[in-house]
Amino acid sequence: MDNSSHAGNEPCSQVVSIVFTTVLAIISLAAFIGNISVMTVVYKTPSLRTSTNYYYVNMAVSDFLSSLTLWPLYLTDEIITPRGSLIKGPMATVGCRVGVYVRVVSTSVSILSLVLIATDRYFAIVFPLKASILLVRITALVATWVISMGYCFPMIYFSKVEDVYVGEERFCRFAWNDTRALIIYYVSGISMINVAPLIACDFVFSYYASIKERNQCRIPF
């Protein structure tokens, strides 16, 4: 049998698996402790319960969930051990779908939360005498999750564990076979989750910079 055709398909070495797993464990632990600390500090310190800090807590919650669901996704991939995945069968599919879904939702929630922070600062500058309405703030926070979970739903529906090299390696993949629908999905997602927030933040920061420059150039009498 010719082994040359499988030269590039060798399983991950034990050393690489150990190093990669150790690094991921350290990062996951740091993310877990850091996000728990943010939520705890804001909860126990009344002076920190500001509108901006609530948005930071919203980001911390999404990152916390992402750090928890990263491992089921990781355990479905071959890199965890040279002998193959530690989660197989139906559980591998569940780990793949939940891991991918929560990871993408977390990213989307974080981006939308940054937009809310920028918007909150914008209204604080333009309308400094008007207090923010609690109901509006809660609605905005809930909207970050509703929008993110709704947009990312195809991730949990179409993600699956499949062979990269037939019979040798299996990885979690977002396998939406309809090319046209996939293009529309990605373009709409980039526009809604990346481009639009970038434009909104750029507008807010530009406005803030112009206000600051105008105040610095003002001549006192």
Side-chain angles (χ1 to χ4, degrees):
M1 179 179 179
D2 185 10
N3 294 327
S4 61
S5 60
H6 298 279
N9 301 341
E10 296 179 359
C12 182
S13 70
Q14 186 73 33
V15 175
V16 173
S17 297
I18 293 174
V19 172
F20 193 88
T21 304
T22 302
V23 172
L24 186 60
I26 294 173
I27 294 175
S28 299
L29 182 61
F32 181 85
I33 296 175
N35 290 309
I36 284 290
S37 299
V38 170
M39 291 184 283
T40 302
V41 168
V42 174
Y43 175 75
K44 291 188 174 182
T45 310
S47 62
L48 294 179
R49 297 173 191 171
T50 63
S51 58
T52 301
N53 286 340
Y54 280 124
Y55 301 138
Y56 287 131
V57 170
N58 196 47
M59 296 171 60
V61 171
S62 68
D63 292 340
F64 171 75
L65 293 177
S66 180
S67 65
L68 287 182
T69 56
L70 175 64
W71 282 96
L73 173 63
Y74 178 57
L75 295 177
T76 65
D77 289 344
E78 295 291 333
I79 200 171
I80 186 71
T81 168
R83 293 183 298 277
S85 305
L86 295 184
I87 297 181
K88 298 181 180 180
M91 290 302 299
T93 301
V94 173
C96 168
R97 291 180 174 180
V98 172
V100 170
Y101 181 69
V102 176
R103 184 177 60 182
V104 180
V105 168
S106 173
T107 302
S108 176
V109 169
S110 296
I111 294 174
L112 295 178
S113 296
L114 289 174
V115 175
L116 291 180
I117 293 172
T119 304
D120 181 75
R121 293 300 86 202
Y122 170 79
F123 281 103
I125 295 170
V126 179
F127 308 106
L129 300 180
K130 292 185 178 181
S132 58
I133 302 175
L134 179 61
L135 181 59
V136 173
R137 186 189 310 160
I138 295 175
T139 302
L141 290 173
V142 172
T144 63
W145 288 93
V146 173
I147 293 173
S148 300
M149 294 174 69
Y151 168 73
C152 298
F153 179 77
M155 294 286 181
I156 200 171
Y157 187 79
F158 291 103
S159 294
K160 63 179 181 180
V161 178
E162 60 181 18
D163 294 329
V164 177
Y165 304 108
V166 178
E168 294 187 16
E169 295 183 358
R170 297 174 65 81
F171 290 94
C172 181
R173 291 284 184 268
F174 179 47
W176 195 347
N177 296 325
D178 190 336
T179 304
R180 182 178 179 182
L182 187 61
I183 293 175
I184 295 174
Y185 178 72
Y186 278 134
V187 170
S188 62
I190 292 174
S191 302
M192 181 178 66
I193 305 298
N194 297 101
V195 177
L198 180 62
I199 294 175
C201 291
D202 182 66
F203 169 77
V204 171
F205 292 146
S206 297
Y207 184 85
Y208 176 76
S210 65
I211 293 292
K212 186 176 181 180
E213 182 179 359
R214 196 158 52 226
N215 290 337
Q216 290 176 346
C217 295
R218 188 175 298 165
I219 301 175
F221 292 96

